[in-house]
Amino acid sequence: MKFSSLALLSALCSASAFVPASVQRKQTLLNMVAMSPPPTTSGSSTADAEEWSPQSWRKKVAKQMPVYDDIAELESATDTIASSAPLVFAGEVRTLHEQLARATQGQGFLLMGGDCAESFKEFNVDHVRDTFRVILQMALVMTFGSAMPVIKVGRMAGQFAKPRSEPDEVRDGVALPSYRGDIINSEPFDEQSRRNDPSKMVKAYHQSAQTLNILRAFSTGGYADISRLHAWNLDFVESTEEGSRYRKFASKVDESLRFMKAIGVDTGSPEFTQVDFFTAHECLLLEYEQALTRKDSTSGKWYDCSAHMLWVGERTRDLDGAHLEFTRGIHNPLGVKISDKCTPEELIRIIDTMNPKNIPGRLTIVVRMGAEKLRSNLPGLIRAVQREGKSVLWISDPVHGNTRKTENGFKTRDFEKIRAELRAFFDVHEEMGSHPGGVHLEMTGEDVTECIGGLADVTEDTLPSRYNTACDPRLNGQQALELAFLIAERMRSKVGLPPIE
């Protein structure tokens, strides 16, 4: 069945994924719940809030933190960052919180994507641009599929640090500290490179500032103009099956835009030429996060100004750990990753710690289990959240639970297993009557060969040809766009719309 221009027009007009929040400011009860200060209550919760400070995490056990051998050097680096400008601002963070609050009510879908870990040597404008534009493509396709706003968040401008399974790496009998990301040490296997160097935090801060500057220019300076949607197609995707499918899809959008213009809609307004684009990273290196935590002058609340949103990983979400202690006091939207190891009781305690006021949009649960474990474990977690009346946004991370090593030593991920986990995620939410609220992907706009399968037809034999990651394998632009179409088709089916052609 083909879509008419009017049908597509309806889908686009009912979604505001490409409409800046600064333009959309309708006050609703949901907005006020998300934006109002939490009600003051008596008892231990108030006392706990008063006891929190940006440095109170130091009283807790901090896992996955590097050990620095020069405290004076560490203090100099964090003092430099603390005296520098914030990377993001409280008003931007509140805008994201407002959009996530709507999504918890089934009125939005969160798309998070970007590098496994950013690096200093790969940083350039083209790299940032290509990831940004494939996210724009994916968001447009998903908007069409869901007929709801798609919230765009990049794993960018701060995603440097990575947790490690072992504190040391051993090669040929030589043990050196594990590579933990460019913000901490360097990848080459020698003593000097693997030294935990505090000055790298300052370099990461400056690169993040540049990345944010590039993203702000692209999102508001005309690059994100929906009339340019054909230009978003990546060069290496252009000649592929997914590139062809995107071109046909873009032509439908063009047709609708011409119709809108013909009936007097101003398609040159900010609603059509700008987008909201946010950043997020794992809250891991607490020295860096503390240095960028500031008190908002208008609200008196603390915000971690290193990113709009932060998440706590599977390895650091201990209930009595430093990372949950730090995040419970900041007012950024938060995420927490959970695997099949998380019990319903533990999840409720995590939610109570990170979102004690049960504020919509405050907490996102990022599920990473693998398809089979997800089908058996996720229903119980959702049931517990529903029973306790907790407000959370459920999103799928279908990549982390599907990592394996090939016989020739490359870490990779199978596209079919990623798709299977996404399908399981949507199936379970459909069975439970809950909202499948988003997806979290390690991906890049570059033409890499790091994940096998999909229409890109990457195989174990072709992995070495463009295997560029310094950390975990990423979906390339073609594979990411293929997933976007798969998600869009599932979302269309859910609401009874015909498939995309």
Side-chain angles (χ1 to χ4, degrees), residues 193-426:
S193 297
R194 292 298 175 92
R195 175 181 178 264
N196 298 329
D197 182 355
S199 68
K200 288 180 174 293
M201 285 191 280
V202 179
K203 187 172 182 179
Y205 166 85
H206 288 296
Q207 181 170 311
S208 297
Q210 292 181 70
T211 301
L212 279 159
N213 195 34
I214 294 166
L215 290 171
R216 287 181 173 121
F218 282 145
S219 61
T220 62
Y223 190 88
D225 189 329
I226 196 171
S227 67
R228 299 187 71 256
L229 76 173
H230 286 284
W232 299 343
N233 223 355
L234 297 163
D235 294 338
F236 76 94
V237 176
E238 181 72 29
S239 60
T240 67
E241 183 174 336
E242 287 308 299
S244 176
R245 191 179 188 192
Y246 178 78
R247 284 195 305 276
K248 291 177 182 177
F249 168 76
S251 296
K252 297 177 187 293
V253 179
D254 273 340
E255 185 179 340
S256 294
L257 288 172
R258 288 194 296 270
F259 175 76
M260 296 169 82
K261 192 171 183 179
I263 63 173
V265 176
D266 180 10
T267 58
S269 65
E271 290 91 337
F272 294 91
T273 60
Q274 301 179 12
V275 297
D276 280 340
F277 194 90
F278 306 99
T279 61
H281 63 255
E282 181 174 358
C283 179
L284 193 61
L285 185 54
L286 294 178
E287 297 279 5
Y288 179 80
E289 305 301 341
Q290 179 187 327
L292 279 164
T293 300
R294 313 290 164 83
K295 182 178 283 190
D296 177 35
S297 59
T298 59
S299 67
K301 296 177 180 178
W302 289 98
Y303 289 88
D304 184 345
C305 296
S306 68
H308 300 103
M309 180 180 183
L310 296 105
W311 74 84
V312 178
E314 169 77 8
R315 293 185 175 106
T316 54
R317 58 170 176 77
D318 293 6
L319 287 162
D320 58 350
H323 292 82
L324 255 60
E325 169 61 25
F326 176 78
T327 54
R328 76 177 180 91
I330 58 176
H331 285 77
N332 304 63
L334 302 173
V336 61
K337 288 201 174 186
I338 60 169
S339 70
D340 58 295
K341 299 174 185 177
C342 185
T343 66
E345 295 75 21
E346 183 184 12
L347 179 58
I348 296 302
R349 292 181 65 192
I350 290 171
I351 294 171
D352 285 340
T353 300
M354 300 182 79
N355 188 19
K357 305 293 185 183
N358 204 28
I359 301 172
R362 163 75 170 169
L363 185 59
T364 295
I365 308 297
V366 188
V367 182
R368 43 158 295 182
M369 296 183 184
E372 292 184 10
K373 291 180 179 178
L374 186 147
R375 289 186 184 278
S376 60
N377 288 277
L378 184 56
L381 298 173
I382 296 175
R383 194 174 296 114
V385 168
Q386 291 173 333
R387 182 180 63 246
E388 298 295 326
K390 302 300 183 181
S391 178
V392 301
L393 182 66
W394 296 96
I395 74 170
S396 171
D397 172 359
V399 297
H400 276 93
N402 294 297
T403 307
R404 66 178 179 88
K405 185 168 284 190
T406 65
E407 290 184 1
N408 53 356
F410 286 91
K411 287 174 71 175
T412 191
R413 289 158 176 162
D414 294 287
F415 188 87
E416 288 305 314
K417 290 187 176 180
I418 292 170
R419 180 164 62 180
E421 182 164 349
L422 272 173
R423 184 182 296 116
F425 179 75
F426 278 92

Side-chain angles (χ1 to χ4, degrees), residues 76-133:
S76 175
T78 53
D79 286 349
T80 297
I81 296 169
S83 62
S84 300
L87 292 172
V88 303
F89 299 92
E92 297 172 340
V93 175
R94 286 192 286 267
T95 296
L96 174 59
H97 191 163
E98 188 176 307
Q99 294 181 18
L100 292 171
R102 296 192 190 100
T104 62
Q105 305 298 316
Q107 300 172 28
F109 190 87
L110 173 59
L111 170 60
M112 298 182 72
D115 279 322
C116 164
E118 294 172 281
S119 74
F120 295 155
K121 67 180 180 181
E122 289 185 359
F123 172 70
N124 59 66
V125 174
D126 289 349
H127 181 81
V128 176
R129 179 204 61 204
D130 287 349
T131 300
F132 175 73
R133 65 178 179 174

Side-chain angles (χ1 to χ4, degrees), residues 19-28 31 35 91-92 94-96 98-99 102 276:
V19 182
S22 57
V23 179
Q24 290 185 319
R25 279 290 176 262
K26 294 180 180 178
Q27 282 296 318
T28 66
N31 291 353
M35 297 300 294
E92 297 172 340
R94 286 192 286 267
T95 296
L96 174 59
E98 188 176 307
Q99 294 181 18
R102 296 192 190 100
D276 280 340

Side-chain angles (χ1 to χ4, degrees), residues 41-157:
T41 59
S42 59
S44 60
S45 61
T46 303
D48 289 345
E50 292 174 352
E51 291 169 4
W52 184 89
S53 70
Q55 61 269 15
S56 61
W57 63 268
R58 297 179 183 276
K59 301 174 184 177
K60 305 283 187 176
V61 176
K63 291 185 176 180
Q64 295 287 335
M65 289 279 286
V67 176
Y68 294 102
D69 57 22
D70 189 328
I71 300 303
E73 189 180 4
L74 173 62
E75 291 177 348
S76 175
T78 53
D79 286 349
T80 297
I81 296 169
S83 62
S84 300
L87 292 172
V88 303
F89 299 92
E92 297 172 340
V93 175
R94 286 192 286 267
T95 296
L96 174 59
H97 191 163
E98 188 176 307
Q99 294 181 18
L100 292 171
R102 296 192 190 100
T104 62
Q105 305 298 316
Q107 300 172 28
F109 190 87
L110 173 59
L111 170 60
M112 298 182 72
D115 279 322
C116 164
E118 294 172 281
S119 74
F120 295 155
K121 67 180 180 181
E122 289 185 359
F123 172 70
N124 59 66
V125 174
D126 289 349
H127 181 81
V128 176
R129 179 204 61 204
D130 287 349
T131 300
F132 175 73
R133 65 178 179 174
V134 76
I135 290 176
L136 287 184
Q137 283 185 293
M138 295 173 72
L140 184 61
V141 170
M142 291 177 183
T143 299
F144 183 81
S146 63
M148 68 174 64
V150 172
I151 305 161
K152 295 165 287 296
V153 177
R155 290 172 51 110
M156 306 166 78

